[in-house]
Amino acid sequence: MAREEQFVELVRIADPIEADLFGAFLEDGEVDYEVINRSGAGILSGLMPGSVNPVIFRILDVHLERGRQLLEEYRSLQKASVPPDDAVATDDEAGTGDPSDVPADR
């Protein structure tokens, strides 16, 4: 008799928006999962702390190790520092210092 696959809890996320982002990350990782309490967490987010009413992600037990890897990768990406848009100058913005770089209307 073949063993039946079961869903087991992977993580609880207090912030409904972060939960949506993590769900998209799991989809990109091609892992089967289910979400419990997504709508309840969103509705009640203004009334009680998210830690009391979290979004729960459950994953097939056969994919648990892959799910844990994706969770670790997701968390490390969330901690990564992203430079602001204006921190990187393009060639057009930097200019060469040559007076011909200045538009004629100035």
Side-chain angles (χ1 to χ4, degrees):
M1 181 176 196
R3 186 179 85 74
E4 237 182 89
E5 295 177 347
Q6 297 179 10
F7 281 94
V8 294
E9 187 172 316
L10 175 63
V11 67
R12 292 173 179 239
I13 299 179
D15 181 1
I17 294 172
E18 184 180 345
D20 289 344
L21 293 172
F22 182 63
F25 196 79
L26 286 177
E27 285 177 18
D28 288 346
E30 298 180 355
V31 173
D32 291 330
Y33 69 95
E34 65 181 13
V35 178
I36 299 172
N37 196 35
R38 173 56 187 97
S39 60
I43 292 169
L44 298 174
S45 65
L47 302 173
M48 63 178 59
S51 59
V52 175
N53 195 34
V55 178
I56 302 168
F57 284 85
R58 292 171 31 127
I59 193 165
L60 285 175
D61 59 355
V62 295
H63 297 138
L64 186 58
E65 185 59 35
R66 174 72 177 137
R68 287 180 178 154
Q69 290 172 348
L70 287 170
L71 177 60
E72 185 177 319
E73 182 181 346
Y74 173 79
R75 287 181 172 162
S76 68
L77 288 171
Q78 291 299 311
K79 291 178 186 176
S81 173
V82 178
D85 289 343
D86 61 349
V88 179
T90 64
D91 289 338
D92 293 339
E93 293 171 342
T96 62
D98 186 338
S100 64
D101 286 343
V102 178
D105 61 337
R106 286 193 188 172

XYZ file of all heavy atoms in Angstrom:
812
model
N 0.838 -1.177 0.000
C 0.000 0.000 0.000
C 0.890 1.249 0.000
O 1.806 1.379 0.802
C -0.892 -0.036 1.240
C -1.824 1.117 1.340
S -2.869 0.849 2.806
C -4.128 1.984 2.458
N 0.621 2.164 -0.916
C 1.422 3.384 -1.049
C 1.095 4.364 0.074
O -0.048 4.492 0.497
C 1.142 4.032 -2.393
N 2.137 5.032 0.535
C 1.964 6.035 1.584
C 1.305 7.272 0.995
O 1.676 7.753 -0.066
C 3.332 6.400 2.160
C 3.265 7.330 3.343
C 4.656 7.634 3.874
N 5.323 8.722 3.182
C 5.027 10.016 3.311
N 4.051 10.381 4.087
N 5.700 10.929 2.667
N 0.336 7.819 1.700
C -0.346 9.017 1.251
C 0.458 10.247 1.648
O 0.946 10.333 2.768
C -1.733 9.109 1.916
C -2.845 9.196 0.921
C -4.181 9.326 1.621
O -4.577 10.466 1.888
O -4.788 8.283 1.878
N 0.609 11.181 0.722
C 1.308 12.414 1.035
C 0.413 13.287 1.904
O -0.805 13.317 1.725
C 1.684 13.154 -0.249
C 2.682 12.406 -1.084
C 2.990 13.102 -2.398
O 2.253 14.035 -2.776
O 3.940 12.700 -3.056
N 1.029 13.992 2.838
C 0.279 14.853 3.749
C 0.902 16.244 3.758
O 2.090 16.395 3.520
C 0.314 14.286 5.163
C -0.345 12.952 5.304
C -0.249 12.444 6.741
O 0.151 13.156 7.651
N -0.635 11.204 6.940
N 0.075 17.224 4.049
C 0.575 18.576 4.212
C 1.033 18.761 5.652
O 0.352 18.340 6.583
C -0.514 19.608 3.884
C -0.701 19.816 2.402
C -1.661 19.108 1.708
C 0.082 20.723 1.708
C -1.841 19.296 0.347
C -0.085 20.911 0.345
C -1.047 20.202 -0.334
N 2.209 19.370 5.804
C 2.760 19.675 7.119
C 3.098 21.161 7.158
O 3.369 21.779 6.124
C 4.014 18.831 7.443
C 3.656 17.364 7.567
C 5.088 19.020 6.397
N 3.092 21.730 8.349
C 3.344 23.159 8.487
C 4.801 23.494 8.173
O 5.721 22.854 8.674
C 2.992 23.613 9.901
C 3.067 25.115 10.060
C 2.539 25.597 11.392
O 1.479 25.113 11.844
O 3.197 26.467 11.982
N 4.983 24.532 7.363
C 6.311 25.018 7.022
C 6.646 26.272 7.825
O 7.693 26.372 8.440
C 6.412 25.323 5.524
C 7.716 25.956 5.037
C 8.891 25.023 5.267
C 7.613 26.335 3.571
N 5.723 27.245 7.825
C 6.005 28.520 8.487
C 4.699 29.264 8.748
O 3.703 29.049 8.059
C 6.969 29.381 7.628
C 6.323 29.823 6.336
C 7.523 30.559 8.388
N 4.752 30.136 9.751
C 3.657 31.064 10.041
C 4.197 32.468 9.819
O 5.266 32.799 10.325
C 3.180 30.927 11.490
C 2.509 29.610 11.755
C 2.211 29.427 13.237
N 1.543 28.159 13.430
C 0.349 28.018 13.973
N -0.293 29.077 14.447
N -0.205 26.833 14.078
N 3.457 33.259 9.062
C 3.901 34.619 8.747
C 2.840 35.595 9.234
O 1.674 35.493 8.855
C 4.155 34.774 7.234
C 5.257 33.806 6.803
C 4.515 36.214 6.889
C 5.592 33.827 5.337
N 3.270 36.540 10.051
C 2.342 37.478 10.680
C 1.808 38.536 9.721
O 0.661 38.945 9.820
C 3.018 38.152 11.872
N 2.613 38.982 8.781
C 2.233 40.057 7.861
C 1.581 39.475 6.609
O 2.231 38.737 5.855
C 3.482 40.858 7.492
C 3.207 42.022 6.556
O 2.038 42.243 6.183
O 4.171 42.718 6.194
N 0.299 39.808 6.344
C -0.389 39.255 5.167
C 0.282 39.597 3.837
O 0.276 38.792 2.916
C -1.790 39.873 5.243
C -1.960 40.279 6.655
C -0.591 40.624 7.165
N 0.882 40.777 3.738
C 1.550 41.149 2.488
C 2.811 40.317 2.303
O 3.088 39.824 1.213
C 1.853 42.657 2.463
C 0.529 43.423 2.439
C 2.723 43.027 1.266
C 0.650 44.909 2.605
N 3.571 40.144 3.370
C 4.756 39.298 3.290
C 4.345 37.865 2.946
O 5.040 37.170 2.206
C 5.537 39.315 4.599
C 6.808 38.520 4.511
C 7.618 38.509 5.796
O 7.373 39.324 6.679
O 8.513 37.641 5.892
N 3.211 37.436 3.473
C 2.720 36.092 3.162
C 2.427 35.956 1.665
O 2.738 34.924 1.059
C 1.467 35.784 3.983
N 1.853 36.983 1.071
C 1.593 36.949 -0.373
C 2.901 36.852 -1.153
O 3.002 36.121 -2.143
C 0.821 38.189 -0.820
C -0.624 38.191 -0.340
O -1.133 37.122 0.066
O -1.243 39.273 -0.373
N 3.901 37.604 -0.726
C 5.201 37.557 -1.396
C 5.843 36.181 -1.268
O 6.396 35.647 -2.231
C 6.133 38.621 -0.808
C 5.748 40.069 -1.069
C 6.640 41.014 -0.269
C 5.822 40.388 -2.548
N 5.750 35.608 -0.072
C 6.329 34.279 0.127
C 5.577 33.236 -0.696
O 6.186 32.325 -1.266
C 6.333 33.897 1.604
C 6.964 32.564 1.861
C 8.298 32.341 1.574
C 6.224 31.507 2.379
C 8.888 31.095 1.787
C 6.808 30.270 2.610
C 8.140 30.063 2.310
N 4.262 33.368 -0.813
C 3.484 32.453 -1.643
C 3.933 32.497 -3.096
O 4.088 31.462 -3.747
N 4.186 33.697 -3.597
C 4.684 33.835 -4.973
C 6.064 33.199 -5.108
O 6.374 32.571 -6.125
C 4.734 35.311 -5.366
N 6.883 33.333 -4.068
C 8.218 32.739 -4.072
C 8.119 31.216 -4.123
O 8.861 30.562 -4.858
C 8.977 33.201 -2.823
C 10.453 32.976 -2.894
C 11.261 33.825 -3.604
C 11.032 31.910 -2.225
C 12.635 33.628 -3.666
C 12.393 31.701 -2.276
C 13.201 32.560 -3.000
N 7.183 30.639 -3.368
C 6.992 29.183 -3.403
C 6.496 28.728 -4.771
O 6.913 27.687 -5.270
C 6.010 28.737 -2.317
C 6.520 28.732 -0.887
C 5.390 28.333 0.065
C 7.705 27.806 -0.714
N 5.609 29.509 -5.360
C 5.119 29.162 -6.698
C 6.262 29.146 -7.701
O 6.344 28.247 -8.538
C 4.038 30.147 -7.141
C 2.721 29.928 -6.450
C 1.672 30.952 -6.848
O 1.826 31.619 -7.896
O 0.695 31.077 -6.098
N 7.125 30.145 -7.623
C 8.285 30.185 -8.518
C 9.201 28.992 -8.286
O 9.871 28.527 -9.201
C 9.081 31.478 -8.336
C 8.372 32.692 -8.905
O 7.404 32.512 -9.678
O 8.780 33.820 -8.585
N 9.239 28.492 -7.047
C 10.047 27.325 -6.709
C 9.377 26.014 -7.053
O 9.926 24.946 -6.814
N 8.163 26.103 -7.625
C 7.391 24.943 -8.078
C 7.177 23.914 -6.963
O 7.416 22.718 -7.130
C 8.049 24.312 -9.299
C 8.113 25.257 -10.479
C 8.768 24.662 -11.708
O 9.278 23.517 -11.633
O 8.761 25.330 -12.739
N 6.716 24.427 -5.812
C 6.437 23.575 -4.664
C 4.940 23.622 -4.384
O 4.339 24.697 -4.388
C 7.228 24.076 -3.427
C 6.836 23.314 -2.196
C 8.719 23.964 -3.680
N 4.341 22.467 -4.165
C 2.917 22.411 -3.818
C 2.745 22.811 -2.367
O 3.406 22.277 -1.471
C 2.367 21.004 -4.028
C 2.296 20.626 -5.501
O 2.107 21.524 -6.337
O 2.428 19.430 -5.804
N 1.845 23.756 -2.128
C 1.598 24.227 -0.775
C 0.139 24.631 -0.638
O -0.576 24.748 -1.626
C 2.512 25.407 -0.435
C 2.195 26.667 -1.207
C 1.374 27.650 -0.664
C 2.696 26.877 -2.483
C 1.064 28.792 -1.370
C 2.399 28.013 -3.187
C 1.583 28.978 -2.629
O 1.274 30.109 -3.336
N -0.272 24.840 0.601
C -1.590 25.385 0.859
C -1.448 26.481 1.912
O -0.518 26.463 2.720
C -2.581 24.315 1.301
C -2.285 23.647 2.614
C -3.291 22.564 2.987
O -4.090 22.145 2.136
O -3.276 22.147 4.153
N -2.352 27.440 1.848
C -2.324 28.569 2.766
C -3.562 28.490 3.644
O -4.663 28.274 3.154
C -2.317 29.904 1.991
C -2.348 31.080 2.937
C -1.116 29.977 1.083
N -3.343 28.680 4.928
C -4.449 28.671 5.874
C -4.530 30.045 6.516
O -3.515 30.612 6.921
C -4.234 27.582 6.948
C -4.177 26.219 6.270
C -5.335 27.624 8.002
C -3.786 25.091 7.179
N -5.724 30.597 6.571
C -6.016 31.836 7.271
C -5.577 33.085 6.522
O -5.394 34.130 7.131
C -5.396 31.824 8.686
C -5.995 32.884 9.569
O -7.165 33.177 9.469
N -5.182 33.467 10.421
N -5.410 33.040 5.219
C -4.985 34.247 4.502
C -6.040 35.337 4.578
O -5.737 36.480 4.872
C -4.650 33.919 3.042
C -4.355 35.140 2.173
C -3.236 35.984 2.772
N -3.022 37.219 2.091
C -3.508 38.401 2.451
N -4.273 38.514 3.501
N -3.231 39.489 1.767
N -7.276 35.005 4.338
C -8.310 36.045 4.361
C -8.581 36.519 5.784
O -8.776 37.699 6.015
C -9.599 35.554 3.700
O -10.096 34.426 4.390
N -8.565 35.625 6.743
C -8.792 36.016 8.133
C -7.689 36.912 8.649
O -7.935 37.867 9.383
N -6.462 36.632 8.270
C -5.325 37.450 8.715
C -5.432 38.858 8.149
O -5.136 39.834 8.826
C -4.010 36.802 8.308
N -5.857 38.974 6.909
C -5.985 40.288 6.294
C -7.101 41.109 6.904
O -6.941 42.295 7.192
N -8.231 40.498 7.142
C -9.383 41.190 7.701
C -9.101 41.653 9.127
O -9.451 42.757 9.519
C -10.629 40.272 7.675
C -11.056 40.034 6.227
C -11.763 40.866 8.484
C -12.104 38.953 6.058
N -8.465 40.810 9.893
C -8.246 41.106 11.303
C -6.927 41.834 11.582
O -6.613 42.111 12.738
C -8.304 39.808 12.120
C -9.655 39.083 12.076
C -9.570 37.750 12.792
C -10.741 39.951 12.684
N -6.162 42.156 10.554
C -4.845 42.752 10.767
C -4.907 44.091 11.500
O -3.972 44.445 12.212
C -4.096 42.905 9.446
O -4.774 43.822 8.616
N -5.978 44.826 11.344
C -6.108 46.097 12.046
C -6.617 45.958 13.463
O -6.529 46.893 14.254
N -7.152 44.794 13.791
C -7.746 44.600 15.109
C -6.843 43.885 16.100
O -6.989 44.052 17.303
C -9.057 43.805 14.976
C -10.117 44.437 14.078
C -11.286 43.495 13.894
C -10.573 45.763 14.672
N -5.961 43.048 15.588
C -5.080 42.295 16.474
C -3.726 42.102 15.819
O -3.619 42.142 14.596
C -5.703 40.948 16.840
C -5.930 40.015 15.669
S -6.625 38.403 16.092
C -8.155 38.821 16.867
N -2.705 41.904 16.622
C -1.365 41.695 16.047
C -1.329 40.463 15.156
O -2.014 39.465 15.412
C -0.477 41.489 17.270
C -1.276 41.901 18.444
C -2.712 41.849 18.059
N -0.515 40.545 14.103
C -0.396 39.424 13.170
C 0.116 38.162 13.825
O -0.217 37.063 13.392
N 0.902 38.306 14.882
C 1.431 37.121 15.562
C 0.332 36.303 16.221
O 0.490 35.103 16.438
C 2.480 37.528 16.595
O 1.903 38.397 17.547
N -0.799 36.923 16.509
C -1.930 36.219 17.110
C -2.753 35.503 16.042
O -3.389 34.485 16.302
C -2.822 37.210 17.897
C -4.066 36.542 18.429
C -2.038 37.862 19.016
N -2.727 36.025 14.822
C -3.559 35.516 13.735
C -2.739 35.388 12.449
O -3.020 36.037 11.450
C -4.745 36.467 13.545
C -5.839 35.861 12.720
O -6.082 34.672 12.784
N -6.502 36.681 11.937
N -1.700 34.544 12.432
C -0.796 34.483 11.281
C -1.361 33.720 10.089
O -2.310 32.945 10.216
C 0.419 33.748 11.842
C -0.173 32.822 12.845
C -1.303 33.599 13.477
N -0.734 33.946 8.951
C -0.990 33.153 7.750
C -0.098 31.922 7.874
O 1.092 32.031 8.151
C -0.639 33.950 6.477
C -0.866 33.097 5.236
C -1.446 35.233 6.413
N -0.677 30.752 7.669
C 0.051 29.496 7.850
C 0.287 28.854 6.485
O -0.649 28.695 5.700
C -0.737 28.532 8.758
C -0.992 29.195 10.107
C 0.004 27.205 8.917
C -2.004 28.463 10.975
N 1.536 28.506 6.225
C 1.892 27.808 4.991
C 2.145 26.351 5.322
O 2.943 26.036 6.202
C 3.151 28.411 4.356
C 2.893 29.701 3.661
C 2.904 30.894 4.359
C 2.622 29.724 2.302
C 2.647 32.089 3.721
C 2.369 30.916 1.652
C 2.384 32.103 2.364
N 1.455 25.490 4.589
C 1.663 24.049 4.733
C 2.146 23.527 3.391
O 1.734 24.003 2.347
C 0.370 23.364 5.175
C -0.023 23.754 6.576
C -1.396 23.278 6.998
N -1.801 22.035 6.404
C -2.235 20.965 7.069
N -2.341 21.006 8.364
N -2.616 19.889 6.440
N 3.023 22.546 3.455
C 3.661 22.016 2.258
C 3.591 20.494 2.305
O 3.513 19.912 3.392
C 5.114 22.539 2.202
C 5.743 22.306 0.848
C 5.953 21.978 3.300
C 7.012 23.122 0.651
N 3.597 19.852 1.152
C 3.588 18.394 1.142
C 4.820 17.874 1.872
O 5.934 18.385 1.672
C 3.562 17.849 -0.287
C 2.233 17.961 -1.015
C 2.387 17.503 -2.466
C 1.160 17.151 -0.315
N 4.623 16.883 2.703
C 5.738 16.384 3.518
C 6.911 15.884 2.683
O 8.051 16.009 3.095
C 5.266 15.322 4.512
C 4.611 14.120 3.861
O 4.407 14.104 2.635
O 4.283 13.169 4.604
N 6.649 15.388 1.488
C 7.745 14.923 0.627
C 8.576 16.084 0.082
O 9.689 15.892 -0.391
C 7.236 14.037 -0.536
C 6.623 12.752 -0.006
C 6.270 14.792 -1.405
N 8.040 17.307 0.130
C 8.737 18.491 -0.356
C 9.206 19.390 0.793
O 9.608 20.532 0.558
C 7.842 19.310 -1.289
C 7.450 18.579 -2.515
N 6.179 18.614 -3.032
C 8.153 17.763 -3.345
C 6.114 17.861 -4.110
N 7.302 17.343 -4.322
N 9.172 18.890 2.005
C 9.492 19.718 3.162
C 10.918 20.253 3.117
O 11.153 21.432 3.388
C 9.248 18.940 4.461
C 9.397 19.745 5.746
C 8.453 20.934 5.757
C 9.132 18.850 6.951
N 11.868 19.430 2.755
C 13.264 19.892 2.703
C 13.419 21.004 1.666
O 14.070 22.017 1.919
C 14.208 18.727 2.388
C 15.670 19.106 2.439
C 16.119 19.652 3.795
O 15.611 19.195 4.833
O 16.973 20.559 3.797
N 12.813 20.850 0.507
C 12.866 21.890 -0.534
C 12.179 23.160 -0.033
O 12.656 24.269 -0.260
C 12.194 21.381 -1.820
C 12.068 22.418 -2.905
C 13.402 22.748 -3.527
N 13.191 23.691 -4.614
C 13.953 24.738 -4.831
N 15.012 24.956 -4.089
N 13.703 25.556 -5.812
N 11.074 23.001 0.656
C 10.371 24.150 1.213
C 11.219 24.901 2.225
O 11.233 26.136 2.243
N 11.944 24.177 3.043
C 12.831 24.820 4.028
C 13.957 25.573 3.329
O 14.353 26.656 3.757
C 13.391 23.781 4.991
C 12.356 23.293 5.974
C 12.926 22.275 6.925
N 11.924 21.857 7.893
C 11.926 20.690 8.500
N 12.882 19.803 8.255
N 10.983 20.391 9.362
N 14.483 25.003 2.252
C 15.530 25.688 1.483
C 14.997 26.988 0.889
O 15.658 28.026 0.925
C 16.053 24.789 0.367
C 16.870 23.621 0.837
C 17.185 22.652 -0.305
O 16.628 22.734 -1.388
N 18.089 21.717 -0.031
N 13.779 26.922 0.338
C 13.179 28.115 -0.252
C 12.902 29.174 0.809
O 13.103 30.371 0.568
C 11.895 27.757 -0.998
C 12.085 27.016 -2.310
C 10.755 26.505 -2.839
C 12.757 27.911 -3.339
N 12.450 28.747 1.990
C 12.200 29.680 3.082
C 13.489 30.383 3.497
O 13.523 31.607 3.674
C 11.584 28.946 4.276
C 11.327 29.787 5.526
C 10.371 30.934 5.237
C 10.776 28.900 6.651
N 14.563 29.633 3.612
C 15.860 30.211 3.972
C 16.330 31.195 2.890
O 16.815 32.288 3.188
C 16.887 29.099 4.162
C 18.228 29.585 4.654
C 19.192 28.429 4.900
O 18.777 27.386 5.431
O 20.371 28.594 4.533
N 16.166 30.812 1.630
C 16.557 31.693 0.525
C 15.714 32.963 0.523
O 16.232 34.072 0.351
C 16.394 30.955 -0.804
C 16.821 31.753 -2.008
C 16.631 30.993 -3.314
O 16.413 29.766 -3.293
O 16.702 31.650 -4.366
N 14.412 32.814 0.741
C 13.508 33.967 0.783
C 13.923 34.933 1.893
O 14.024 36.134 1.683
C 12.069 33.492 0.997
C 11.098 34.618 1.212
C 10.618 35.364 0.140
C 10.668 34.956 2.492
C 9.729 36.404 0.337
C 9.790 35.999 2.696
C 9.321 36.720 1.613
O 8.452 37.763 1.820
N 14.190 34.406 3.074
C 14.581 35.255 4.203
C 15.905 35.962 3.947
O 16.075 37.121 4.298
C 14.635 34.428 5.487
C 13.248 34.080 5.985
C 13.288 33.298 7.262
N 11.934 33.152 7.802
C 11.600 32.257 8.707
N 12.509 31.423 9.201
N 10.357 32.184 9.144
N 16.856 35.279 3.319
C 18.137 35.925 3.032
C 17.959 37.021 1.981
O 18.606 38.068 2.059
C 19.186 34.907 2.597
O 18.873 34.371 1.346
N 17.085 36.815 1.014
C 16.826 37.849 0.013
C 16.121 39.054 0.630
O 16.368 40.197 0.242
C 15.988 37.291 -1.133
C 16.713 36.325 -2.064
C 15.721 35.668 -3.023
C 17.813 37.031 -2.829
N 15.251 38.818 1.608
C 14.555 39.915 2.268
C 15.515 40.773 3.082
O 15.302 41.964 3.248
C 13.442 39.378 3.178
C 12.280 38.760 2.426
C 11.599 39.756 1.517
O 11.275 40.864 1.915
N 11.384 39.375 0.269
N 16.589 40.170 3.582
C 17.569 40.905 4.378
C 18.592 41.628 3.507
O 19.302 42.493 3.992
C 18.307 39.944 5.314
C 17.442 39.396 6.408
C 18.233 38.428 7.259
C 17.335 37.753 8.271
N 18.062 36.739 9.044
N 18.676 41.268 2.233
C 19.683 41.844 1.339
C 19.457 43.338 1.180
O 18.331 43.822 1.140
C 19.636 41.162 -0.018
N 20.540 44.054 1.082
C 20.493 45.495 0.907
C 20.364 45.814 -0.577
O 21.137 45.331 -1.392
C 21.766 46.117 1.468
O 21.814 47.476 1.164
N 19.397 46.637 -0.911
C 19.187 47.049 -2.298
C 19.488 48.537 -2.385
O 18.913 49.330 -1.641
C 17.731 46.774 -2.744
C 17.506 47.242 -4.165
C 17.405 45.307 -2.593
N 20.397 48.942 -3.274
C 20.710 50.367 -3.372
C 19.511 51.145 -3.913
O 18.745 50.623 -4.717
C 21.884 50.415 -4.360
C 21.792 49.159 -5.135
C 21.144 48.143 -4.225
N 19.342 52.377 -3.461
C 18.238 53.190 -3.994
C 18.442 53.456 -5.476
O 19.558 53.414 -5.977
C 18.312 54.474 -3.172
C 19.633 54.481 -2.521
C 20.132 53.066 -2.476
N 17.355 53.732 -6.172
C 17.410 53.963 -7.620
C 18.377 55.078 -8.001
O 19.042 55.010 -9.015
C 16.018 54.306 -8.163
C 15.104 53.107 -8.161
O 15.606 51.963 -8.057
O 13.877 53.283 -8.250
N 18.463 56.117 -7.192
C 19.295 57.251 -7.555
C 20.771 57.050 -7.202
O 21.595 57.913 -7.454
C 18.774 58.536 -6.916
C 18.770 58.467 -5.392
O 18.964 57.367 -4.842
O 18.556 59.512 -4.768
N 21.114 55.910 -6.650
C 22.510 55.655 -6.276
C 23.360 55.251 -7.478
O 24.570 55.350 -7.433
C 22.586 54.557 -5.217
N 22.740 54.818 -8.542
C 23.479 54.365 -9.718
C 23.282 55.394 -10.821
O 22.168 55.631 -11.275
C 22.974 52.976 -10.191
C 23.723 52.525 -11.423
C 23.101 51.965 -9.072
N 24.368 56.011 -11.255
C 24.299 57.007 -12.323
C 24.504 56.319 -13.661
O 25.401 55.499 -13.819
C 25.364 58.072 -12.115
N 23.669 56.653 -14.602
C 23.841 56.139 -15.957
C 24.812 57.047 -16.696
O 25.156 58.134 -16.229
C 22.494 56.091 -16.704
O 22.023 57.431 -16.848
C 21.484 55.237 -15.974
N 25.244 56.637 -17.867
C 26.154 57.456 -18.668
C 25.536 58.819 -18.973
O 26.217 59.830 -18.980
C 26.525 56.748 -19.969
C 27.450 55.560 -19.716
O 28.117 55.533 -18.661
O 27.501 54.661 -20.569
N 24.225 58.849 -19.221
C 23.547 60.101 -19.544
C 23.556 61.050 -18.353
O 23.707 62.251 -18.507
C 22.095 59.844 -19.962
C 22.008 59.090 -21.284
O 22.985 59.117 -22.047
O 20.961 58.478 -21.529
N 23.375 60.515 -17.149
C 23.309 61.347 -15.954
C 24.694 61.813 -15.532
O 24.871 62.915 -15.039
C 22.662 60.580 -14.797
C 21.204 60.269 -15.022
C 20.666 59.322 -13.966
O 21.463 58.658 -13.286
O 19.440 59.232 -13.830
N 25.701 60.979 -15.699
C 27.035 61.305 -15.220
C 27.694 62.370 -16.083
O 28.374 63.251 -15.586
C 27.901 60.037 -15.181
N 27.497 62.313 -17.376
C 28.117 63.277 -18.285
C 29.620 63.064 -18.349
O 30.211 62.340 -17.574
N 30.243 63.747 -19.285
C 31.686 63.601 -19.453
C 32.424 64.860 -19.049
O 33.647 64.889 -19.050
C 32.007 63.287 -20.925
O 31.571 64.378 -21.729
C 31.380 62.002 -21.371
N 31.709 65.910 -18.708
C 32.345 67.174 -18.390
C 32.591 68.014 -19.630
O 33.025 69.148 -19.569
N 32.293 67.487 -20.780
C 32.463 68.173 -22.051
C 31.289 69.141 -22.221
O 30.142 68.756 -22.052
C 32.480 67.127 -23.165
C 32.795 67.715 -24.526
O 32.602 68.936 -24.706
O 33.212 66.939 -25.392
N 31.534 70.409 -22.568
C 30.432 71.371 -22.755
C 29.424 70.919 -23.799
O 28.287 71.350 -23.777
C 31.140 72.640 -23.198
C 32.555 72.504 -22.785
C 32.837 71.028 -22.717
N 29.797 70.029 -24.699
C 28.846 69.569 -25.719
C 27.787 68.653 -25.107
O 26.797 68.353 -25.746
C 29.563 68.869 -26.861
O 30.211 67.675 -26.374
N 28.013 68.194 -23.850
C 27.012 67.362 -23.169
C 25.817 68.164 -22.694
O 24.757 67.627 -22.424
C 27.617 66.673 -21.929
C 28.530 65.526 -22.289
O 28.447 65.051 -23.449
O 29.300 65.086 -21.417
N 25.968 69.486 -22.567
C 24.895 70.326 -22.060
C 23.897 70.572 -23.175
O 24.287 70.959 -24.299
C 25.450 71.675 -21.539
C 24.327 72.565 -21.049
C 26.485 71.437 -20.459
N 22.594 70.347 -22.920
C 21.587 70.590 -23.962
C 21.629 72.045 -24.443
O 21.959 72.950 -23.691
C 20.265 70.276 -23.263
C 20.634 69.435 -22.086
C 22.019 69.831 -21.710
N 21.278 72.245 -25.692
C 21.345 73.571 -26.334
C 20.408 74.575 -25.670
O 20.669 75.769 -25.710
C 21.023 73.454 -27.817
N 19.324 74.141 -25.058
C 18.344 75.063 -24.490
C 18.778 75.617 -23.132
O 18.077 76.378 -22.518
C 16.970 74.410 -24.381
C 16.960 73.182 -23.481
O 18.033 72.573 -23.295
O 15.881 72.844 -22.980
N 19.956 75.284 -22.643
C 20.421 75.801 -21.332
C 21.283 76.995 -21.510
O 22.074 77.260 -22.258
C 21.155 74.725 -20.551
C 20.200 73.717 -20.001
C 20.924 72.888 -18.993
N 20.054 71.786 -18.583
C 20.443 70.803 -17.840
N 21.675 70.750 -17.412
N 19.634 69.860 -17.495
